Amino acid sequence: MSDPEAKPARGRPKTMNADNVLDLAMTAYWHSDPADVSVNAICQMAGISKPSLYRAFGSEDGLSRAALDRYAEQVLSEMFAVLQGGAGLRETLAALIDFACDDPRMDTGCLFYKMRAGKHRLGPETRARVDEIDASAQAAYATFLKAARAAGDWSNGLSVEAGAKYLGEQISLAITQRASGEDPARVREMLTLALSVFTRP
Amino acid sequence: MSDPEAKPARGRPKTMNADNVLDLAMTAYWHSDPADVSVNAICQMAGISKPSLYRAFGSEDGLSRAALDRYAEQVLSEMFAVLQGGAGLRETLAALIDFACDDPRMDTGCLFYKMRAGKHRLGPETRARVDEIDASAQAAYATFLKAARAAGDWSNGLSVEAGAKYLGEQISLAITQRASGEDPARVREMLTLALSVFTRP
DNA sequence: CTCATTTTATACTAACTGGTATTTTATTTC
DNA sequence: GAAATAAAATACCAGTTAGTATAAAATGAG
């Protein structure tokens, strides 16, 4: 944003740290569900007034969009990194399975998947961002699978696009199940089974 | 409930047909989302007053529970019938795929899966019924798979329980994707792929 | 006709939602 | 010190939610 070391403006000094509020909002949306967290609740948790929040983020839509942006930077980027790491098919799939089944941050699910599942309840900005991330993820999965196919690691009758969608949805399902309290070992077993279609002829 | 041909009681005659209201509520919950349909909206659609609805169903929880009961009778029963039909593994899987991907009633998704996905927003009665149905479905899938295994149709390393869970979740995923506007051919392709693990050694 | 009975509709409650108008407070600049 | 500026908090708005108190209306029984 703006220079954090800029001269301290002119009016009454800020006491609200928008960054902290955003972190808190992201975490609240993430750990419960975007639809179950009101702006009122966020203000209360953050110990700020509503006008302060609205001055910083404009609207609930602006806040949830900013929270999703931050989530994409902080969390989703890692998943993209795994996909783009250039490792082989089996290694990458194993890393994705580990991420979905073991990463403690996914204990309470994935904010992006939660938002996507309740997309119709989001404001237009946030919804657009969800679609954007969805498309990026689909593209990343497709690029990964295309490379695997070029390397001869994978060659069943499926199109790359269908495979990419399938892969993404299976990971989403696993994370969602895990967040809903399903036995982690069982989740891993099911995800491994679902993704075994990529490694069997 | 009570005899529809019983003598016409004593007070002011009913004008509300609770059965019609229940159908309407079930359809509304089903075609949009239980969390997005208020009792106010149902009363308005049904052309009845709130006290009438509350006298018939007690509470929102009572109404949604009754709607789920009716859905189980009218729709889910068919899926159970397919599972218990005694057909072979491949035939039954094919029938399940057809149901999930082609049955026009699943165009807007499955009320049970929608309720299960938003379980924490339901009242206690409805939530308990969701859990009950979930357990029945799991049991039906398990019985089906056990028979298939006994017939020698299926024998990979998976436990019957894990297979049952997997099967149920894949069908849920397919129906949910279809309802969210995904290309039906693509959904079928993915579900077929997911279930191919049962028919390959 | 009168009374008990039952259903109806109107109108209300209290709590919550996202959002804002208004005023107060703290600061820099002059 | 006075003016300008910006952020703060309080208190509100209109709309929605689930749920209900109350009274009107429509019937059968006596």
Side-chain angles (χ1 to χ4, degrees):
Chain A
M1 304 292 172
S2 55
D3 186 356
E5 292 305 326
K7 68 179 61 174
R10 206 144 92 82
R12 176 173 174 171
K14 295 192 182 188
T15 59
M16 179 185 94
N17 182 334
D19 234 53
N20 292 350
V21 173
L22 185 53
D23 267 331
L24 187 144
M26 180 190 79
T27 304
Y29 286 144
W30 181 5
H31 289 7
S32 66
D33 189 301
D36 296 331
V37 179
S38 67
V39 289
N40 290 334
I42 289 172
C43 288
Q44 200 165 349
M45 289 185 288
I48 61 170
S49 66
K50 288 172 72 171
S52 295
L53 186 143
Y54 276 88
R55 186 160 20 78
F57 299 101
S59 65
E60 182 179 41
D61 190 20
L63 175 63
S64 60
R65 191 218 146 105
L68 178 54
D69 280 343
R70 169 150 306 192
Y71 183 81
E73 286 169 16
Q74 289 192 354
V75 182
L76 295 182
S77 59
E78 286 189 33
M79 226 178 60
F80 282 95
V82 169
L83 277 176
Q84 294 158 356
L89 177 66
R90 279 181 159 77
E91 294 85 347
T92 303
L93 289 181
L96 289 174
I97 292 173
D98 286 344
F99 180 76
C101 299
D102 287 340
D103 191 307
R105 285 173 302 174
M106 293 296 115
D107 270 348
T108 55
C110 167
L111 178 57
F112 166 65
Y113 291 137
K114 287 183 179 187
M115 284 187 168
R116 198 183 58 164
K119 208 168 70 172
H120 65 284
R121 277 185 272 256
L122 300 174
E125 280 188 46
T126 313
R127 188 158 55 224
R129 190 80 181 94
V130 165
D131 287 337
E132 213 176 294
I133 293 176
D134 211 11
S136 301
Q138 169 75 9
Y141 285 124
T143 301
F144 159 63
L145 286 181
K146 205 172 289 182
R149 178 160 279 177
D153 285 342
W154 169 55
S155 59
N156 65 19
L158 212 62
S159 74
V160 166
E161 280 71 29
K165 188 98 196 170
Y166 178 83
L167 179 49
E169 294 298 335
Q170 293 300 332
I171 290 170
S172 163
L173 176 60
I175 293 177
T176 303
Q177 285 180 312
R178 203 179 141 206
S180 83
E182 190 60 50
D183 170 30
R186 166 76 48 92
V187 172
R188 172 177 280 272
E189 191 178 14
M190 291 193 286
L191 181 55
T192 302
L193 182 64
L195 301 192
S196 72
V197 301
F198 290 112
T199 55
R200 273 198 296 200
Chain B
M1 301 290 173
S2 57
D3 186 355
E5 291 305 326
K7 66 179 63 176
R10 205 146 89 84
R12 176 173 176 169
K14 294 193 184 189
T15 59
M16 178 185 95
N17 182 332
D19 233 53
N20 291 349
V21 172
L22 185 53
D23 267 332
L24 188 143
M26 179 191 79
T27 305
Y29 286 144
W30 182 3
H31 289 6
S32 65
D33 190 300
D36 296 332
V37 179
S38 66
V39 288
N40 290 337
I42 289 172
C43 288
Q44 199 166 349
M45 289 185 288
I48 62 170
S49 66
K50 289 173 74 171
S52 295
L53 187 143
Y54 275 88
R55 186 159 24 76
F57 299 100
S59 65
E60 183 178 40
D61 190 20
L63 175 62
S64 60
R65 192 219 144 105
L68 177 55
D69 281 342
R70 169 148 308 191
Y71 183 81
E73 287 168 15
Q74 290 192 353
V75 182
L76 296 182
S77 59
E78 287 188 34
M79 226 177 61
F80 282 96
V82 169
L83 277 177
Q84 293 158 354
L89 177 67
R90 281 182 159 76
E91 293 85 348
T92 302
L93 289 182
L96 289 174
I97 293 174
D98 286 345
F99 180 77
C101 299
D102 286 341
D103 192 308
R105 285 173 301 176
M106 293 295 115
D107 269 349
T108 55
C110 167
L111 178 56
F112 166 64
Y113 290 137
K114 286 183 180 189
M115 283 186 169
R116 197 183 58 164
K119 208 168 71 173
H120 66 285
R121 276 184 275 256
L122 300 174
E125 280 188 45
T126 313
R127 188 159 53 224
R129 189 81 182 91
V130 165
D131 286 338
E132 212 175 296
I133 294 176
D134 211 12
S136 302
Q138 169 75 10
Y141 285 124
T143 302
F144 159 63
L145 286 180
K146 205 171 288 182
R149 178 159 280 178
D153 285 342
W154 169 54
S155 59
N156 64 21
L158 212 62
S159 74
V160 166
E161 279 70 30
K165 189 98 197 168
Y166 178 83
L167 178 50
E169 293 298 335
Q170 293 299 332
I171 290 170
S172 163
L173 176 59
I175 292 177
T176 303
Q177 285 179 312
R178 203 179 140 206
S180 83
E182 190 59 50
D183 171 29
R186 167 75 49 91
V187 173
R188 172 176 280 271
E189 191 179 13
M190 290 193 287
L191 181 55
T192 303
L193 181 64
L195 301 193
S196 71
V197 301
F198 290 111
T199 55
R200 274 198 293 199

